Structure formats: structure tokens, C-alpha cells
Amino acid sequence: GPTSLAAELGITVEEAKELMNRYFTVFPKVKTLMNELETRARKTHMAYSPLDGRYIDLSHVDWINRKKAGHGIRQSLNLPFQGCGASIIKLAMCRLRRKFKELNMNAKIILTVHDEVQFSVHKNCIDEATKLIDITMQGAFNHYAPSVPMKVSIKVGTCWKH
């Protein structure tokens, strides 16, 4: 909402409202989707992700209490994005693990953080592994959104440091 956006960007609530209005003017289908997801959540007490078919039971939410209902609404709006992101990452990891094994590649998945996957790859197969990772990550995304282009950002280093 505008209050959170204002705090995040260090702007006034009025500026945040104006920014949101301009965003939804440029991307009206996003606003339509958000309205549909909220209406569906209020009616069914479920959050639904249309892209990957995930559901979250929101029957525990106090829908009469406006503040508490806001939590359920936020879940219903976040699920299609975060849930689908999780589905994409899981599908990619399953496919990559299988491919690494099939190709007897000295590579393995070591960590995931949100939309990032980290691998341990032997230096002798870095080029082959990065190509495979790129193609597989794009393929996992396109499993859910076949007509949407996807760019994967791959970085290679000698160690991971956060």
C-alpha cells in the first residue's frame, strides 16, 4: 500500500499514492488481477495462484476485522508471484539435479535464497554447467509462462559471499 511504499522509498504517502496510480494507469491489467484476487479471497477465504494452481487456506483470517483481513488480502496478492516463483525454482532444481546426474557432471545445488540458486561446480565443467543452468531455468519459467521471455543472470566466482 501507499504507506509501506512511502516508507520504503522515503517519500510522502501522497507521492506514493500518485506513483501507484501512475503504475496502474500504465499497467491496468495488474490492477484488474489484484482486484480479482482480492474479491476471490474475500469470497472463498482462499488465496489462489492462477499460474501454478497453488492455494492457501485463509479461513483462519478474521475477515470482519479490517486490519486482520488486510493480512489475508496481502497473502492473496503475494501468492501468485511468490508462489509461482517458488514453483519455478523447485521445477528448475529438480530438472537440474536430474541432468547433473545423467551427464555425470561434477556439479550440485548447494543453496537457494528466494529467487537465487547457488551451485558448486567443478572448474572443468563451468561452461557446460552454466549453459545447462541457463537453459533449464528458462525452461522452468516457460513451463508456466510459455510466451514470456525470461533472462537468467549467472555469476561465476570462486566462493559465495553475502
Side-chain angles (χ1 to χ4, degrees), residues 12-45:
T12 68
V13 173
E14 286 306 313
E15 290 170 319
K17 284 179 184 177
E18 177 57 31
L19 185 60
M20 289 175 70
N21 287 337
R22 283 189 296 181
Y23 178 85
F24 291 130
T25 299
V26 174
F27 303 105
K29 289 183 180 181
V30 174
K31 185 63 173 170
T32 300
L33 174 64
M34 291 174 72
N35 290 339
E36 289 171 3
L37 292 168
E38 179 179 342
T39 299
R40 184 178 190 154
R42 287 183 183 279
K43 184 177 178 181
T44 65
H45 298 174

PDB file of all heavy atoms in Angstrom, residues 12-45:
ATOM      1  N   THR A  12       6.571  10.892   0.558  1.00  0.00           N
ATOM      2  CA  THR A  12       5.326  11.080   1.312  1.00  0.00           C
ATOM      3  C   THR A  12       4.287  10.048   0.868  1.00  0.00           C
ATOM      4  O   THR A  12       4.389   9.477  -0.225  1.00  0.00           O
ATOM      5  CB  THR A  12       4.742  12.494   1.078  1.00  0.00           C
ATOM      6  OG1 THR A  12       4.301  12.594  -0.275  1.00  0.00           O
ATOM      7  CG2 THR A  12       5.771  13.581   1.405  1.00  0.00           C
ATOM      8  N   VAL A  13       3.290   9.871   1.695  1.00  0.00           N
ATOM      9  CA  VAL A  13       2.200   8.951   1.360  1.00  0.00           C
ATOM     10  C   VAL A  13       1.471   9.443   0.113  1.00  0.00           C
ATOM     11  O   VAL A  13       1.101   8.647  -0.744  1.00  0.00           O
ATOM     12  CB  VAL A  13       1.228   8.782   2.555  1.00  0.00           C
ATOM     13  CG1 VAL A  13       0.006   7.967   2.162  1.00  0.00           C
ATOM     14  CG2 VAL A  13       1.940   8.127   3.732  1.00  0.00           C
ATOM     15  N   GLU A  14       1.299  10.755   0.001  1.00  0.00           N
ATOM     16  CA  GLU A  14       0.639  11.316  -1.187  1.00  0.00           C
ATOM     17  C   GLU A  14       1.443  11.019  -2.451  1.00  0.00           C
ATOM     18  O   GLU A  14       0.872  10.685  -3.488  1.00  0.00           O
ATOM     19  CB  GLU A  14       0.412  12.821  -1.028  1.00  0.00           C
ATOM     20  CG  GLU A  14      -0.712  13.166  -0.074  1.00  0.00           C
ATOM     21  CD  GLU A  14      -2.031  12.481  -0.417  1.00  0.00           C
ATOM     22  OE1 GLU A  14      -2.434  12.491  -1.600  1.00  0.00           O
ATOM     23  OE2 GLU A  14      -2.660  11.910   0.495  1.00  0.00           O
ATOM     24  N   GLU A  15       2.768  11.139  -2.372  1.00  0.00           N
ATOM     25  CA  GLU A  15       3.621  10.830  -3.527  1.00  0.00           C
ATOM     26  C   GLU A  15       3.532   9.344  -3.871  1.00  0.00           C
ATOM     27  O   GLU A  15       3.503   8.971  -5.048  1.00  0.00           O
ATOM     28  CB  GLU A  15       5.080  11.218  -3.256  1.00  0.00           C
ATOM     29  CG  GLU A  15       5.316  12.713  -3.205  1.00  0.00           C
ATOM     30  CD  GLU A  15       6.708  13.078  -2.702  1.00  0.00           C
ATOM     31  OE1 GLU A  15       7.190  12.439  -1.738  1.00  0.00           O
ATOM     32  OE2 GLU A  15       7.307  14.004  -3.281  1.00  0.00           O
ATOM     33  N   ALA A  16       3.466   8.518  -2.843  1.00  0.00           N
ATOM     34  CA  ALA A  16       3.344   7.074  -3.062  1.00  0.00           C
ATOM     35  C   ALA A  16       2.013   6.748  -3.735  1.00  0.00           C
ATOM     36  O   ALA A  16       1.959   5.919  -4.651  1.00  0.00           O
ATOM     37  CB  ALA A  16       3.482   6.322  -1.741  1.00  0.00           C
ATOM     38  N   LYS A  17       0.941   7.394  -3.297  1.00  0.00           N
ATOM     39  CA  LYS A  17      -0.370   7.172  -3.923  1.00  0.00           C
ATOM     40  C   LYS A  17      -0.323   7.559  -5.395  1.00  0.00           C
ATOM     41  O   LYS A  17      -0.845   6.838  -6.251  1.00  0.00           O
ATOM     42  CB  LYS A  17      -1.458   7.987  -3.206  1.00  0.00           C
ATOM     43  CG  LYS A  17      -1.889   7.422  -1.880  1.00  0.00           C
ATOM     44  CD  LYS A  17      -2.941   8.302  -1.236  1.00  0.00           C
ATOM     45  CE  LYS A  17      -3.313   7.813   0.145  1.00  0.00           C
ATOM     46  NZ  LYS A  17      -4.283   8.692   0.812  1.00  0.00           N
ATOM     47  N   GLU A  18       0.290   8.699  -5.689  1.00  0.00           N
ATOM     48  CA  GLU A  18       0.401   9.158  -7.078  1.00  0.00           C
ATOM     49  C   GLU A  18       1.237   8.185  -7.909  1.00  0.00           C
ATOM     50  O   GLU A  18       0.881   7.861  -9.049  1.00  0.00           O
ATOM     51  CB  GLU A  18       1.016  10.569  -7.130  1.00  0.00           C
ATOM     52  CG  GLU A  18       1.249  11.103  -8.533  1.00  0.00           C
ATOM     53  CD  GLU A  18      -0.010  11.155  -9.390  1.00  0.00           C
ATOM     54  OE1 GLU A  18      -1.119  11.345  -8.852  1.00  0.00           O
ATOM     55  OE2 GLU A  18       0.122  10.995 -10.620  1.00  0.00           O
ATOM     56  N   LEU A  19       2.314   7.697  -7.345  1.00  0.00           N
ATOM     57  CA  LEU A  19       3.166   6.726  -8.040  1.00  0.00           C
ATOM     58  C   LEU A  19       2.386   5.443  -8.338  1.00  0.00           C
ATOM     59  O   LEU A  19       2.451   4.900  -9.449  1.00  0.00           O
ATOM     60  CB  LEU A  19       4.402   6.414  -7.194  1.00  0.00           C
ATOM     61  CG  LEU A  19       5.465   5.524  -7.796  1.00  0.00           C
ATOM     62  CD1 LEU A  19       6.037   6.131  -9.070  1.00  0.00           C
ATOM     63  CD2 LEU A  19       6.579   5.287  -6.786  1.00  0.00           C
ATOM     64  N   MET A  20       1.614   4.986  -7.356  1.00  0.00           N
ATOM     65  CA  MET A  20       0.805   3.781  -7.553  1.00  0.00           C
ATOM     66  C   MET A  20      -0.262   4.016  -8.622  1.00  0.00           C
ATOM     67  O   MET A  20      -0.489   3.143  -9.470  1.00  0.00           O
ATOM     68  CB  MET A  20       0.164   3.346  -6.226  1.00  0.00           C
ATOM     69  CG  MET A  20       1.176   2.790  -5.244  1.00  0.00           C
ATOM     70  SD  MET A  20       0.471   2.418  -3.623  1.00  0.00           S
ATOM     71  CE  MET A  20      -0.532   1.008  -4.033  1.00  0.00           C
ATOM     72  N   ASN A  21      -0.899   5.165  -8.585  1.00  0.00           N
ATOM     73  CA  ASN A  21      -1.916   5.479  -9.598  1.00  0.00           C
ATOM     74  C   ASN A  21      -1.313   5.486 -11.001  1.00  0.00           C
ATOM     75  O   ASN A  21      -1.913   4.959 -11.939  1.00  0.00           O
ATOM     76  CB  ASN A  21      -2.586   6.822  -9.301  1.00  0.00           C
ATOM     77  CG  ASN A  21      -3.530   6.748  -8.110  1.00  0.00           C
ATOM     78  OD1 ASN A  21      -4.013   5.669  -7.763  1.00  0.00           O
ATOM     79  ND2 ASN A  21      -3.765   7.876  -7.480  1.00  0.00           N
ATOM     80  N   ARG A  22      -0.131   6.078 -11.138  1.00  0.00           N
ATOM     81  CA  ARG A  22       0.525   6.098 -12.458  1.00  0.00           C
ATOM     82  C   ARG A  22       0.892   4.680 -12.898  1.00  0.00           C
ATOM     83  O   ARG A  22       0.736   4.325 -14.067  1.00  0.00           O
ATOM     84  CB  ARG A  22       1.769   6.976 -12.427  1.00  0.00           C
ATOM     85  CG  ARG A  22       1.431   8.456 -12.468  1.00  0.00           C
ATOM     86  CD  ARG A  22       2.641   9.298 -12.643  1.00  0.00           C
ATOM     87  NE  ARG A  22       3.488   9.119 -11.465  1.00  0.00           N
ATOM     88  CZ  ARG A  22       4.634   9.738 -11.265  1.00  0.00           C
ATOM     89  NH1 ARG A  22       5.114  10.556 -12.154  1.00  0.00           N
ATOM     90  NH2 ARG A  22       5.330   9.535 -10.167  1.00  0.00           N
ATOM     91  N   TYR A  23       1.373   3.875 -11.956  1.00  0.00           N
ATOM     92  CA  TYR A  23       1.737   2.483 -12.275  1.00  0.00           C
ATOM     93  C   TYR A  23       0.514   1.732 -12.811  1.00  0.00           C
ATOM     94  O   TYR A  23       0.581   1.079 -13.834  1.00  0.00           O
ATOM     95  CB  TYR A  23       2.296   1.782 -11.035  1.00  0.00           C
ATOM     96  CG  TYR A  23       2.634   0.335 -11.273  1.00  0.00           C
ATOM     97  CD1 TYR A  23       3.861  -0.026 -11.803  1.00  0.00           C
ATOM     98  CD2 TYR A  23       1.717  -0.671 -10.989  1.00  0.00           C
ATOM     99  CE1 TYR A  23       4.163  -1.360 -12.045  1.00  0.00           C
ATOM    100  CE2 TYR A  23       2.005  -2.000 -11.220  1.00  0.00           C
ATOM    101  CZ  TYR A  23       3.244  -2.335 -11.742  1.00  0.00           C
ATOM    102  OH  TYR A  23       3.541  -3.648 -11.992  1.00  0.00           O
ATOM    103  N   PHE A  24      -0.597   1.851 -12.102  1.00  0.00           N
ATOM    104  CA  PHE A  24      -1.798   1.122 -12.510  1.00  0.00           C
ATOM    105  C   PHE A  24      -2.428   1.704 -13.780  1.00  0.00           C
ATOM    106  O   PHE A  24      -3.152   1.013 -14.478  1.00  0.00           O
ATOM    107  CB  PHE A  24      -2.807   1.056 -11.371  1.00  0.00           C
ATOM    108  CG  PHE A  24      -2.350   0.180 -10.232  1.00  0.00           C
ATOM    109  CD1 PHE A  24      -2.380   0.640  -8.929  1.00  0.00           C
ATOM    110  CD2 PHE A  24      -1.871  -1.103 -10.471  1.00  0.00           C
ATOM    111  CE1 PHE A  24      -1.951  -0.173  -7.876  1.00  0.00           C
ATOM    112  CE2 PHE A  24      -1.446  -1.917  -9.438  1.00  0.00           C
ATOM    113  CZ  PHE A  24      -1.477  -1.455  -8.139  1.00  0.00           C
ATOM    114  N   THR A  25      -2.139   2.953 -14.091  1.00  0.00           N
ATOM    115  CA  THR A  25      -2.586   3.534 -15.361  1.00  0.00           C
ATOM    116  C   THR A  25      -1.803   2.914 -16.516  1.00  0.00           C
ATOM    117  O   THR A  25      -2.358   2.586 -17.559  1.00  0.00           O
ATOM    118  CB  THR A  25      -2.397   5.070 -15.351  1.00  0.00           C
ATOM    119  OG1 THR A  25      -3.192   5.614 -14.300  1.00  0.00           O
ATOM    120  CG2 THR A  25      -2.815   5.685 -16.674  1.00  0.00           C
ATOM    121  N   VAL A  26      -0.503   2.733 -16.300  1.00  0.00           N
ATOM    122  CA  VAL A  26       0.353   2.133 -17.337  1.00  0.00           C
ATOM    123  C   VAL A  26       0.092   0.631 -17.455  1.00  0.00           C
ATOM    124  O   VAL A  26       0.122   0.073 -18.548  1.00  0.00           O
ATOM    125  CB  VAL A  26       1.844   2.409 -17.029  1.00  0.00           C
ATOM    126  CG1 VAL A  26       2.749   1.671 -18.005  1.00  0.00           C
ATOM    127  CG2 VAL A  26       2.129   3.903 -17.069  1.00  0.00           C
ATOM    128  N   PHE A  27      -0.181  -0.021 -16.320  1.00  0.00           N
ATOM    129  CA  PHE A  27      -0.398  -1.466 -16.287  1.00  0.00           C
ATOM    130  C   PHE A  27      -1.776  -1.794 -15.701  1.00  0.00           C
ATOM    131  O   PHE A  27      -1.885  -2.344 -14.598  1.00  0.00           O
ATOM    132  CB  PHE A  27       0.691  -2.161 -15.456  1.00  0.00           C
ATOM    133  CG  PHE A  27       2.080  -1.902 -15.945  1.00  0.00           C
ATOM    134  CD1 PHE A  27       2.928  -1.031 -15.269  1.00  0.00           C
ATOM    135  CD2 PHE A  27       2.563  -2.544 -17.079  1.00  0.00           C
ATOM    136  CE1 PHE A  27       4.213  -0.794 -15.718  1.00  0.00           C
ATOM    137  CE2 PHE A  27       3.849  -2.319 -17.535  1.00  0.00           C
ATOM    138  CZ  PHE A  27       4.685  -1.432 -16.857  1.00  0.00           C
ATOM    139  N   PRO A  28      -2.852  -1.481 -16.421  1.00  0.00           N
ATOM    140  CA  PRO A  28      -4.195  -1.665 -15.866  1.00  0.00           C
ATOM    141  C   PRO A  28      -4.546  -3.128 -15.601  1.00  0.00           C
ATOM    142  O   PRO A  28      -5.344  -3.418 -14.710  1.00  0.00           O
ATOM    143  CB  PRO A  28      -5.105  -1.059 -16.932  1.00  0.00           C
ATOM    144  CG  PRO A  28      -4.308  -1.086 -18.190  1.00  0.00           C
ATOM    145  CD  PRO A  28      -2.875  -0.933 -17.773  1.00  0.00           C
ATOM    146  N   LYS A  29      -3.962  -4.046 -16.331  1.00  0.00           N
ATOM    147  CA  LYS A  29      -4.285  -5.463 -16.111  1.00  0.00           C
ATOM    148  C   LYS A  29      -3.763  -5.955 -14.760  1.00  0.00           C
ATOM    149  O   LYS A  29      -4.335  -6.868 -14.171  1.00  0.00           O
ATOM    150  CB  LYS A  29      -3.735  -6.322 -17.245  1.00  0.00           C
ATOM    151  CG  LYS A  29      -4.477  -6.117 -18.544  1.00  0.00           C
ATOM    152  CD  LYS A  29      -3.967  -7.032 -19.631  1.00  0.00           C
ATOM    153  CE  LYS A  29      -4.733  -6.805 -20.923  1.00  0.00           C
ATOM    154  NZ  LYS A  29      -4.274  -7.682 -21.990  1.00  0.00           N
ATOM    155  N   VAL A  30      -2.702  -5.329 -14.264  1.00  0.00           N
ATOM    156  CA  VAL A  30      -2.189  -5.685 -12.937  1.00  0.00           C
ATOM    157  C   VAL A  30      -3.225  -5.318 -11.883  1.00  0.00           C
ATOM    158  O   VAL A  30      -3.528  -6.112 -10.985  1.00  0.00           O
ATOM    159  CB  VAL A  30      -0.833  -5.005 -12.641  1.00  0.00           C
ATOM    160  CG1 VAL A  30      -0.393  -5.258 -11.204  1.00  0.00           C
ATOM    161  CG2 VAL A  30       0.232  -5.466 -13.618  1.00  0.00           C
ATOM    162  N   LYS A  31      -3.798  -4.129 -11.999  1.00  0.00           N
ATOM    163  CA  LYS A  31      -4.831  -3.691 -11.050  1.00  0.00           C
ATOM    164  C   LYS A  31      -6.063  -4.595 -11.143  1.00  0.00           C
ATOM    165  O   LYS A  31      -6.634  -4.981 -10.122  1.00  0.00           O
ATOM    166  CB  LYS A  31      -5.212  -2.228 -11.328  1.00  0.00           C
ATOM    167  CG  LYS A  31      -6.189  -1.656 -10.318  1.00  0.00           C
ATOM    168  CD  LYS A  31      -5.593  -1.609  -8.927  1.00  0.00           C
ATOM    169  CE  LYS A  31      -6.489  -0.880  -7.964  1.00  0.00           C
ATOM    170  NZ  LYS A  31      -6.045  -1.034  -6.579  1.00  0.00           N
ATOM    171  N   THR A  32      -6.442  -4.950 -12.370  1.00  0.00           N
ATOM    172  CA  THR A  32      -7.593  -5.836 -12.565  1.00  0.00           C
ATOM    173  C   THR A  32      -7.335  -7.181 -11.888  1.00  0.00           C
ATOM    174  O   THR A  32      -8.192  -7.706 -11.179  1.00  0.00           O
ATOM    175  CB  THR A  32      -7.872  -6.035 -14.071  1.00  0.00           C
ATOM    176  OG1 THR A  32      -8.149  -4.764 -14.646  1.00  0.00           O
ATOM    177  CG2 THR A  32      -9.042  -6.964 -14.298  1.00  0.00           C
ATOM    178  N   LEU A  33      -6.138  -7.735 -12.100  1.00  0.00           N
ATOM    179  CA  LEU A  33      -5.787  -9.010 -11.469  1.00  0.00           C
ATOM    180  C   LEU A  33      -5.820  -8.896  -9.950  1.00  0.00           C
ATOM    181  O   LEU A  33      -6.371  -9.759  -9.267  1.00  0.00           O
ATOM    182  CB  LEU A  33      -4.406  -9.480 -11.928  1.00  0.00           C
ATOM    183  CG  LEU A  33      -3.863 -10.723 -11.225  1.00  0.00           C
ATOM    184  CD1 LEU A  33      -4.743 -11.947 -11.522  1.00  0.00           C
ATOM    185  CD2 LEU A  33      -2.421 -10.992 -11.622  1.00  0.00           C
ATOM    186  N   MET A  34      -5.246  -7.834  -9.424  1.00  0.00           N
ATOM    187  CA  MET A  34      -5.231  -7.650  -7.969  1.00  0.00           C
ATOM    188  C   MET A  34      -6.650  -7.568  -7.411  1.00  0.00           C
ATOM    189  O   MET A  34      -6.946  -8.164  -6.373  1.00  0.00           O
ATOM    190  CB  MET A  34      -4.412  -6.414  -7.604  1.00  0.00           C
ATOM    191  CG  MET A  34      -2.928  -6.592  -7.860  1.00  0.00           C
ATOM    192  SD  MET A  34      -1.981  -5.092  -7.597  1.00  0.00           S
ATOM    193  CE  MET A  34      -2.041  -4.961  -5.818  1.00  0.00           C
ATOM    194  N   ASN A  35      -7.521  -6.849  -8.099  1.00  0.00           N
ATOM    195  CA  ASN A  35      -8.920  -6.746  -7.656  1.00  0.00           C
ATOM    196  C   ASN A  35      -9.602  -8.111  -7.689  1.00  0.00           C
ATOM    197  O   ASN A  35     -10.348  -8.469  -6.772  1.00  0.00           O
ATOM    198  CB  ASN A  35      -9.684  -5.737  -8.505  1.00  0.00           C
ATOM    199  CG  ASN A  35      -9.257  -4.311  -8.250  1.00  0.00           C
ATOM    200  OD1 ASN A  35      -8.692  -3.995  -7.211  1.00  0.00           O
ATOM    201  ND2 ASN A  35      -9.502  -3.444  -9.221  1.00  0.00           N
ATOM    202  N   GLU A  36      -9.348  -8.872  -8.747  1.00  0.00           N
ATOM    203  CA  GLU A  36      -9.938 -10.214  -8.864  1.00  0.00           C
ATOM    204  C   GLU A  36      -9.435 -11.138  -7.756  1.00  0.00           C
ATOM    205  O   GLU A  36     -10.216 -11.898  -7.172  1.00  0.00           O
ATOM    206  CB  GLU A  36      -9.618 -10.815 -10.232  1.00  0.00           C
ATOM    207  CG  GLU A  36     -10.361 -10.164 -11.379  1.00  0.00           C
ATOM    208  CD  GLU A  36      -9.876 -10.621 -12.752  1.00  0.00           C
ATOM    209  OE1 GLU A  36      -8.981 -11.498 -12.831  1.00  0.00           O
ATOM    210  OE2 GLU A  36     -10.387 -10.094 -13.758  1.00  0.00           O
ATOM    211  N   LEU A  37      -8.128 -11.069  -7.471  1.00  0.00           N
ATOM    212  CA  LEU A  37      -7.564 -11.920  -6.420  1.00  0.00           C
ATOM    213  C   LEU A  37      -8.132 -11.564  -5.049  1.00  0.00           C
ATOM    214  O   LEU A  37      -8.448 -12.443  -4.242  1.00  0.00           O
ATOM    215  CB  LEU A  37      -6.035 -11.814  -6.413  1.00  0.00           C
ATOM    216  CG  LEU A  37      -5.326 -12.399  -7.628  1.00  0.00           C
ATOM    217  CD1 LEU A  37      -3.860 -11.974  -7.645  1.00  0.00           C
ATOM    218  CD2 LEU A  37      -5.443 -13.916  -7.653  1.00  0.00           C
ATOM    219  N   GLU A  38      -8.283 -10.263  -4.788  1.00  0.00           N
ATOM    220  CA  GLU A  38      -8.850  -9.833  -3.510  1.00  0.00           C
ATOM    221  C   GLU A  38     -10.312 -10.264  -3.386  1.00  0.00           C
ATOM    222  O   GLU A  38     -10.721 -10.800  -2.345  1.00  0.00           O
ATOM    223  CB  GLU A  38      -8.744  -8.313  -3.353  1.00  0.00           C
ATOM    224  CG  GLU A  38      -9.342  -7.840  -2.038  1.00  0.00           C
ATOM    225  CD  GLU A  38      -9.230  -6.345  -1.823  1.00  0.00           C
ATOM    226  OE1 GLU A  38      -8.418  -5.685  -2.493  1.00  0.00           O
ATOM    227  OE2 GLU A  38      -9.968  -5.846  -0.948  1.00  0.00           O
ATOM    228  N   THR A  39     -11.088 -10.071  -4.440  1.00  0.00           N
ATOM    229  CA  THR A  39     -12.500 -10.459  -4.428  1.00  0.00           C
ATOM    230  C   THR A  39     -12.623 -11.962  -4.198  1.00  0.00           C
ATOM    231  O   THR A  39     -13.448 -12.406  -3.384  1.00  0.00           O
ATOM    232  CB  THR A  39     -13.176 -10.070  -5.757  1.00  0.00           C
ATOM    233  OG1 THR A  39     -13.085  -8.646  -5.896  1.00  0.00           O
ATOM    234  CG2 THR A  39     -14.624 -10.497  -5.794  1.00  0.00           C
ATOM    235  N   ARG A  40     -11.806 -12.723  -4.883  1.00  0.00           N
ATOM    236  CA  ARG A  40     -11.846 -14.183  -4.740  1.00  0.00           C
ATOM    237  C   ARG A  40     -11.486 -14.605  -3.316  1.00  0.00           C
ATOM    238  O   ARG A  40     -12.122 -15.483  -2.741  1.00  0.00           O
ATOM    239  CB  ARG A  40     -10.892 -14.819  -5.746  1.00  0.00           C
ATOM    240  CG  ARG A  40     -10.933 -16.317  -5.748  1.00  0.00           C
ATOM    241  CD  ARG A  40     -10.000 -16.870  -6.811  1.00  0.00           C
ATOM    242  NE  ARG A  40     -10.230 -18.284  -6.956  1.00  0.00           N
ATOM    243  CZ  ARG A  40      -9.997 -18.962  -8.039  1.00  0.00           C
ATOM    244  NH1 ARG A  40      -9.540 -18.366  -9.111  1.00  0.00           N
ATOM    245  NH2 ARG A  40     -10.217 -20.249  -8.075  1.00  0.00           N
ATOM    246  N   ALA A  41     -10.456 -13.953  -2.744  1.00  0.00           N
ATOM    247  CA  ALA A  41     -10.040 -14.296  -1.382  1.00  0.00           C
ATOM    248  C   ALA A  41     -11.145 -13.971  -0.371  1.00  0.00           C
ATOM    249  O   ALA A  41     -11.419 -14.762   0.537  1.00  0.00           O
ATOM    250  CB  ALA A  41      -8.755 -13.552  -1.020  1.00  0.00           C
ATOM    251  N   ARG A  42     -11.779 -12.827  -0.527  1.00  0.00           N
ATOM    252  CA  ARG A  42     -12.864 -12.460   0.393  1.00  0.00           C
ATOM    253  C   ARG A  42     -14.046 -13.427   0.272  1.00  0.00           C
ATOM    254  O   ARG A  42     -14.675 -13.771   1.260  1.00  0.00           O
ATOM    255  CB  ARG A  42     -13.338 -11.035   0.111  1.00  0.00           C
ATOM    256  CG  ARG A  42     -12.381  -9.965   0.560  1.00  0.00           C
ATOM    257  CD  ARG A  42     -12.971  -8.578   0.313  1.00  0.00           C
ATOM    258  NE  ARG A  42     -12.061  -7.521   0.675  1.00  0.00           N
ATOM    259  CZ  ARG A  42     -11.870  -7.079   1.927  1.00  0.00           C
ATOM    260  NH1 ARG A  42     -12.529  -7.630   2.917  1.00  0.00           N
ATOM    261  NH2 ARG A  42     -11.011  -6.107   2.159  1.00  0.00           N
ATOM    262  N   LYS A  43     -14.313 -13.865  -0.934  1.00  0.00           N
ATOM    263  CA  LYS A  43     -15.465 -14.750  -1.183  1.00  0.00           C
ATOM    264  C   LYS A  43     -15.189 -16.189  -0.746  1.00  0.00           C
ATOM    265  O   LYS A  43     -16.042 -16.834  -0.131  1.00  0.00           O
ATOM    266  CB  LYS A  43     -15.798 -14.710  -2.670  1.00  0.00           C
ATOM    267  CG  LYS A  43     -17.021 -15.496  -3.069  1.00  0.00           C
ATOM    268  CD  LYS A  43     -17.300 -15.334  -4.548  1.00  0.00           C
ATOM    269  CE  LYS A  43     -18.507 -16.153  -4.965  1.00  0.00           C
ATOM    270  NZ  LYS A  43     -18.776 -16.023  -6.397  1.00  0.00           N
ATOM    271  N   THR A  44     -14.005 -16.696  -1.065  1.00  0.00           N
ATOM    272  CA  THR A  44     -13.707 -18.125  -0.826  1.00  0.00           C
ATOM    273  C   THR A  44     -12.848 -18.380   0.404  1.00  0.00           C
ATOM    274  O   THR A  44     -12.702 -19.522   0.820  1.00  0.00           O
ATOM    275  CB  THR A  44     -12.966 -18.722  -2.041  1.00  0.00           C
ATOM    276  OG1 THR A  44     -11.689 -18.090  -2.165  1.00  0.00           O
ATOM    277  CG2 THR A  44     -13.779 -18.562  -3.313  1.00  0.00           C
ATOM    278  N   HIS A  45     -12.255 -17.320   0.953  1.00  0.00           N
ATOM    279  CA  HIS A  45     -11.308 -17.433   2.060  1.00  0.00           C
ATOM    280  C   HIS A  45     -10.120 -18.324   1.684  1.00  0.00           C
ATOM    281  O   HIS A  45      -9.587 -19.058   2.505  1.00  0.00           O
ATOM    282  CB  HIS A  45     -11.982 -17.922   3.338  1.00  0.00           C
ATOM    283  CG  HIS A  45     -13.022 -16.981   3.827  1.00  0.00           C
ATOM    284  ND1 HIS A  45     -13.829 -17.259   4.885  1.00  0.00           N
ATOM    285  CD2 HIS A  45     -13.406 -15.737   3.406  1.00  0.00           C
ATOM    286  CE1 HIS A  45     -14.662 -16.258   5.082  1.00  0.00           C
ATOM    287  NE2 HIS A  45     -14.411 -15.320   4.189  1.00  0.00           N
TER     288      HIS A  45
END
